[in-house]
Amino acid sequence: MKCPEVNLLDHLRTKTQVDLDTFDIDAARELGGCIDCTSNQYEYYTELAKSSRKELLGRSIKLAASIHGQFPSVTFTELAVEIAAIYLAMELVPMVDGAMHVMANPRYSYSKQRIIETGKRLHHLCKVIEPSFNTSHLVMKVPATWEGLQACRELRYSNIKVLGTTLFTMEQAVLAGEVGCVSISPFVHELKALFDEHYEDSNPLLDICVQAQQWYTQQSLPTKVKACATVGVDELLQLAGVDALTIVPDDLRALKSINRSEIEVNELSLFGAALSFQEKLAYPSYKDDEAKYRLDFDHVDDGKAQFKLSQAITIFCDYQNKAECLVKAALTEDA
């Protein structure tokens, strides 16, 4: 008897929350049915570089000019990019059922105070741009550095939701849960592998997603695991059962176009019936022990985790700079 087949996207949605990893409005219209929508500096740059976004960029610059005096700690171009990110997010609100994720300027990754200021500023900008928007549906993505996660600890007291991103280790996951992140984004692959077709990351961190979800369950923490930076359909199927998957449009299209044996697909999952949460994971508390955290994190995989974190922040900083250059170019054209 032939084993029944399942559509891969339909199957995945029965196991895991499927989130959209783009601020491309055309892709969002095409790929409906996603819960959350997420973004980063790469998204801001690629969207604002489109000729179809010239009007939105001009609108962002105009608003930045009128309110920059309220935010003297940031440059004009930084503020314009943040405003543009919020405009893009507001366009997509009707197309998703859950939260919009906007990433903090990665140049602030090692400044607790600048991250705190950014969280409050993004909430203010939402109300300026769309007064009816419920800011409980805004999540700020913060690089999971010690400083960034300590900022998250304080932002929760202002009811500002945060996600710990660029996460490569259980040490980061433990601290993110302790400080009150609503979710984390473990990077299955180092970020360079997604931007450089000639570079291969041969050691995907699929197990981190399983372990982090297990840890939060054991500790009765509400933090959710939203895996990202996967490569190919099979890795997504291996993660079926994780709290959420952040998926780029091309992978969503691939999932939608493929049917496979139901037995084969179920056997791929690392969150299958054989997974037992009875074996307790053991990690110390890090939230009040900076020295212990830094020592433990720096030693993971002989320092490679620290390298991956720094590499990811550098890549996002490059796209932040490119987005700001678009603002400068638009200002020059109008001069």
Side-chain angles (χ1 to χ4, degrees):
M1 181 176 177
K2 186 178 180 181
C3 177
E5 292 190 339
V6 293
N7 176 264
L8 297 190
L9 182 55
D10 291 342
H11 168 80
L12 200 58
R13 282 180 165 147
T14 67
K15 307 291 184 181
T16 288
Q17 176 176 308
V18 172
D19 295 339
L20 181 62
D21 189 9
T22 186
F23 263 18
D24 182 331
I25 193 168
D26 294 326
R29 288 193 184 107
E30 173 195 353
L31 300 164
C34 293
I35 305 301
D36 291 353
C37 186
T38 190
S39 65
N40 54 51
Q41 274 62 29
Y42 168 77
E43 294 290 341
Y44 311 148
Y45 167 70
T46 55
E47 280 300 301
L48 295 176
K50 296 176 180 177
S51 59
S52 60
R53 293 301 193 179
K54 185 175 181 179
E55 186 275 333
L56 185 146
L57 180 58
R59 210 178 338 139
S60 303
I61 290 171
K62 184 177 179 179
L63 179 56
S66 68
I67 65 174
H68 187 212
Q70 299 176 38
F71 307 106
S73 65
V74 293
T75 68
F76 179 85
T77 55
E78 287 176 297
L79 181 60
V81 170
E82 287 183 349
I83 291 171
I86 299 299
Y87 272 130
L88 291 168
M90 293 302 109
E91 284 188 352
L92 291 166
V93 166
M95 299 174 199
V96 297
D97 296 326
M100 303 303 301
H101 291 66
V102 175
M103 188 167 171
N105 188 332
R107 292 203 292 261
Y108 306 157
S109 297
Y110 299 99
S111 172
K112 172 183 170 182
Q113 187 56 39
R114 298 301 292 272
I115 292 292
I116 292 171
E117 291 171 359
T118 301
K120 294 178 179 179
R121 186 169 58 251
L122 290 176
H123 271 236
H124 178 81
L125 292 175
C126 282
K127 286 302 184 182
V128 170
I129 290 169
E130 183 48 71
S132 66
F133 178 69
N134 183 349
T135 52
S136 69
H137 293 295
L138 178 71
V139 179
M140 182 173 68
K141 297 169 64 174
V142 176
T145 61
W146 168 264
E147 295 84 359
L149 292 175
Q150 291 300 318
C152 295
R153 185 178 185 177
E154 293 197 19
L155 284 168
R156 65 177 176 171
Y157 297 117
S158 299
N159 294 317
I160 294 175
K161 294 180 178 178
V162 287
L163 174 151
T165 190
T166 60
L167 191 143
F168 299 94
T169 74
M170 275 302 297
E171 287 72 16
Q172 291 171 290
V174 169
L175 180 56
E178 287 190 300
V179 300
C181 290
V182 297
S183 49
I184 61 169
S185 283
F187 278 37
V188 172
H189 288 274
E190 55 187 287
L191 193 56
K192 184 177 179 179
L194 305 184
F195 287 95
D196 184 348
E197 62 182 14
H198 302 295
Y199 183 80
E200 181 179 354
D201 176 10
S202 59
N203 185 32
L205 301 177
L206 296 160
D207 288 345
I208 292 290
C209 303
V210 180
Q211 292 166 13
Q213 193 158 308
Q214 179 180 353
W215 173 257
Y216 295 146
T217 299
Q218 289 179 0
Q219 300 299 312
S220 299
L221 292 170
T223 306
K224 301 300 182 183
V225 178
K226 297 167 79 74
C228 69
T230 54
V231 174
V233 164
D234 280 355
E235 287 187 353
L236 293 168
L237 297 176
Q238 286 178 275
L239 291 171
V242 72
D243 291 320
L245 277 166
T246 300
I247 307 178
V248 297
D250 282 348
D251 283 346
L252 283 169
R253 295 183 185 104
L255 289 164
K256 189 175 182 179
S257 69
I258 300 172
N259 291 340
R260 276 197 201 170
S261 158
E262 186 174 11
I263 291 177
E264 174 194 351
V265 170
N266 283 327
E267 287 177 347
L268 278 173
S269 175
L270 299 175
F271 292 83
L275 181 64
S276 171
F277 286 152
Q278 295 179 356
E279 181 182 348
K280 295 290 184 180
L281 298 176
Y283 289 94
S285 172
Y286 289 119
K287 64 179 180 179
D288 295 314
D289 195 342
E290 180 178 356
K292 174 67 174 170
Y293 173 79
R294 290 191 184 279
L295 284 170
D296 288 356
F297 173 68
D298 288 350
H299 281 86
V300 175
D301 201 13
D302 296 325
K304 291 179 182 177
Q306 176 65 266
F307 170 78
K308 291 177 182 179
L309 173 62
S310 298
Q311 177 198 79
I313 290 172
T314 297
I315 290 171
F316 284 133
C317 282
D318 287 343
Y319 281 102
Q320 173 72 30
N321 292 338
K322 289 180 179 179
E324 290 184 34
C325 284
L326 292 175
V327 174
K328 293 175 183 176
L331 288 169
T332 302
E333 288 178 9
D334 292 338

